[in-house]
Amino acid sequence: MKKVCMFGLGFVGLPLALSFAMRGCQVTGVDIDEQLVSDLNKGITHHLEFYEGKAIQEILQNQLTQDRFRAISDGSAAMRESDHIIVTIGIPVEEHKHDIGPLLEVCRTVGTGLKKGDLVLIRSTVIPGTTRDLILPLLEETSGLKAGQDFYLAYSSERIAEGRAFHEFEHMPAALSGINAQSTEKAMELMSLVTRAHITQASCMEVVEASKVIENISRDVDIAMVNEFARFCKAMGIDIFEVVAVANTHQRVQLLNPGPGVGGYCLPNALFYLLPKAEELGVDLNLLTTARQVNEAMPRYVADLVLRNLQVAPSQGKIAVLGIAMKDYSNDDRMSPALAVIACLQQSGCKVEAFDPAVPSCYDFKVDSLTGALTGAHGIVLLSLQNGIELMNLDLFRELMAPDLPFIIDTKNFYDPALLKEKGFRLERL
Ligand SMILES: NC(=O)c1ccc[n+]([C@@H]2O[C@H](COP(=O)([O-])OP(=O)(O)OC[C@H]3O[C@@H](n4cnc5c(N)ncnc54)[C@H](O)[C@@H]3O)[C@@H](O)[C@H]2O)c1
């Protein structure tokens, strides 16, 4: 029975910790957020994850009852009880600048508690080179031990999508590399407890670190491309969703759908993990930088669509925002485009009331019912789909909304245009 210590109990760390607990490991989860630690020990989480028909809440409660998982905020205490340490602390990005401080702070705690024979497996998304150039010397300095000889160190990228975490820990092919063969072997043994898919052993940790960042950026670029096509199609008076569907009948074309922007922790941050290394190496990343700018401009574009359809002065207008999450059926609103769309509308003077039953964050514009958001609204902007947002009750929508031809900005391609027309709505897509 392995004794696993999971640093970070967020969207990755919690389901990963429970995945190891479900396979019989003794797991101690560490998080700096005392409220989170207390909630988790009571079996409370807002995450929307499922495994084999069970919600994460039930899995958490089971593992707590069986004493295979507990959360604490004292990293040093957790280190004393564990020999397999997994780090899932992120590198936040604010105004395009990354902050590696929290990750290094955790590695300092890990180093201080490190014992001979321990394995440290980094699963955070990092600036390529971080594990060897920053984490390794920090662990050696704080522990007084020699990496590869006294303890093992490896990096494996985390590739899950929120909402599919348990399934993807098990079935998504993974990539891994350690600072030496024994480290790779130890990490492989640990990961294989959960991952049944193929685990590629890369030639060095930098390959795995860089591939993870590039995987994320490639999706950001793919989305930016269709978002730019959307602006072109709109100007031309043709429907982007239809254009994408037709283009995708080509056997070598696989366009994504456009959207109101790109949110969450992973895709928007990725470029800002590659740029510092590129600057150090003197490499331009012009295409990637432009793609990021295209996606960052989408919320303003969506807000302008709203304002163009509004038949009253913005200061007299009320807009119902449906869906605050960064993607469909998620509770995560970190860097959500919805927040940027709302900020743009508020800056223009509109009153905004937003509804999203899955997102736990509190905002002054957030209301706790669909009725509350729709009452008196001149228009709706649909930004993410969500269980608990009943979108087909269009007769009720009309009753609640302001009487003059209300509009719906449908960024999800959800509504049938003919139906909306019949129900007396103006529809605008991206
Ligand atoms: N969210 C995803 O879908 C996803 C997917 C793949 C990879 N990743 C990567 O995984 C990593 C974690 O992402 P996440 O979404 O789980 O982040 P998160 O913000 O949900 O979780 C990180 C947790 O670390 C905790 N933390 C911060 N500083 C700490 C400290 N000093 N000591 C202890 N705990 C501390 C935070 O309180 C938080 O609960 C990131 O590098 C991210 O890029 C995320």
Side-chain angles (χ1 to χ4, degrees):
M1 186 175 73
K2 293 196 187 320
K3 294 182 198 149
V4 174
C5 176
M6 185 71 59
F7 276 88
L9 293 172
F11 286 92
V12 167
L14 177 62
L16 188 55
L18 294 174
S19 295
F20 280 104
M22 281 191 281
R23 272 111 185 146
C25 297
Q26 187 66 48
V27 184
T28 311
V30 184
D31 205 287
I32 200 171
D33 182 338
E34 303 265 2
Q35 183 62 49
L36 176 71
V37 166
S38 158
D39 283 350
L40 291 178
N41 285 328
K42 289 183 202 140
I44 301 168
T45 169
H46 295 290
H47 289 193
L48 297 173
E49 301 287 355
F50 297 86
Y51 183 68
E52 293 181 341
K54 291 195 182 103
I56 189 169
Q57 289 73 13
E58 191 183 340
I59 297 169
L60 172 62
Q61 283 151 21
N62 278 344
Q63 296 310 317
L64 286 167
T65 311
Q66 293 181 48
D67 268 340
R68 282 202 296 246
F69 172 80
R70 74 179 174 119
I72 62 173
S73 52
D74 182 350
S76 309
M79 285 297 297
R80 284 195 288 277
E81 295 168 13
S82 319
D83 45 22
H84 290 74
I85 295 99
I86 304 178
V87 176
T88 69
I89 305 295
I91 300 180
V93 173
E94 286 270 348
E95 294 179 359
H96 299 176
K97 295 274 174 254
H98 73 272
D99 175 10
I100 200 167
L103 175 60
L104 295 186
E105 186 190 324
V106 162
C107 290
R108 201 165 282 119
T109 307
V110 171
T112 309
L114 213 52
K115 304 173 294 303
K116 279 199 170 192
D118 284 356
L119 165 72
V120 181
L121 176 61
I122 308 296
R123 302 222 56 182
S124 317
T125 305
V126 297
I127 295 120
T130 296
T131 309
R132 191 184 308 278
D133 299 343
L134 299 178
I135 295 178
L136 186 155
L138 185 59
L139 292 177
E140 287 190 336
E141 183 196 316
T142 45
S143 67
L145 299 173
K146 184 88 187 119
Q149 190 178 303
D150 298 326
F151 69 93
Y152 306 99
L153 175 62
Y155 179 84
S156 174
S157 49
E158 187 42 78
R159 292 168 153 178
I160 57 117
E162 287 166 26
R164 298 201 289 266
F166 287 114
H167 179 83
E168 293 193 345
F169 289 137
E170 198 172 314
H171 297 290
M172 172 72 84
L176 163 71
S177 188
I179 56 158
N180 60 354
Q182 292 96 316
S183 294
T184 307
E185 199 183 305
K186 280 267 177 192
M188 181 68 100
E189 192 190 303
L190 177 66
M191 286 193 45
S192 302
L193 291 179
V194 171
T195 302
R196 282 163 43 191
H198 181 68
I199 303 176
T200 300
Q201 291 185 32
S203 60
C204 63
M205 297 186 294
E206 288 75 4
V207 167
V208 187
E209 293 172 328
S211 71
K212 169 62 193 175
V213 175
I214 287 172
E215 287 158 27
N216 282 354
I217 295 177
S218 73
R219 279 190 79 73
D220 201 29
V221 173
D222 286 348
I223 298 168
M225 180 171 65
V226 280
N227 281 341
E228 195 155 279
F229 291 155
R231 298 209 322 271
F232 170 82
C233 291
K234 170 76 66 192
M236 212 182 147
I238 54 177
D239 180 27
I240 178 62
F241 292 99
E242 188 183 357
V243 170
V244 167
V246 171
N248 281 346
T249 60
H250 187 303
Q251 290 175 337
R252 287 183 298 280
V253 173
Q254 273 193 310
L255 297 177
L256 300 174
N257 277 324
V262 178
Y265 200 89
C266 295
L267 304 198
N269 283 350
L271 176 68
F272 305 105
Y273 300 157
L274 206 60
L275 275 179
K277 197 69 191 173
E279 274 162 24
E280 193 186 307
L281 299 168
V283 179
D284 287 334
L285 300 178
N286 298 334
L287 170 76
L288 313 186
T289 304
T290 303
R292 185 85 288 274
Q293 287 162 354
V294 167
N295 285 335
E296 283 180 351
M298 282 311 284
R300 176 74 259 171
Y301 177 74
V302 172
D304 287 343
L305 292 182
V306 172
L307 295 170
R308 219 166 63 194
N309 279 278
L310 193 58
Q311 301 295 305
V312 296
S315 57
Q316 310 291 310
K318 176 184 163 181
I319 305 301
V321 169
L322 302 186
I324 301 174
M326 59 97 175
K327 65 173 185 178
D328 297 342
Y329 308 110
S330 164
N331 65 325
D332 187 358
D333 65 335
R334 292 176 297 174
M335 284 181 264
S336 173
L339 302 177
V341 172
I342 291 167
C344 291
L345 292 173
Q346 287 181 325
Q347 277 156 20
S348 306
C350 291
K351 179 175 180 186
V352 177
E353 287 192 319
F355 177 56
D356 192 322
V359 167
S361 318
C362 298
Y363 300 105
D364 54 5
F365 52 74
K366 195 167 165 239
V367 292
D368 54 16
S369 71
L370 183 58
T371 308
L374 293 175
T375 303
H378 298 88
I380 292 170
V381 54
L382 174 59
L383 295 175
S384 51
L385 304 178
Q386 202 66 276
N387 290 324
I389 305 185
E390 176 44 73
L391 291 172
M392 289 312 289
N393 206 346
L394 293 167
D395 294 329
L396 179 69
F397 281 27
R398 283 245 41 181
E399 265 173 46
L400 294 170
M401 292 177 73
D404 302 333
L405 194 58
F407 65 88
I408 300 184
I409 309 293
D410 178 7
T411 69
K412 307 306 300 185
N413 191 26
F414 177 83
Y415 284 111
D416 171 7
L419 177 71
L420 279 201
K421 195 169 174 200
E422 183 197 316
K423 297 290 182 184
F425 288 91
R426 225 160 350 116
L427 168 69
E428 178 136 11
R429 287 174 168 167
L430 280 176

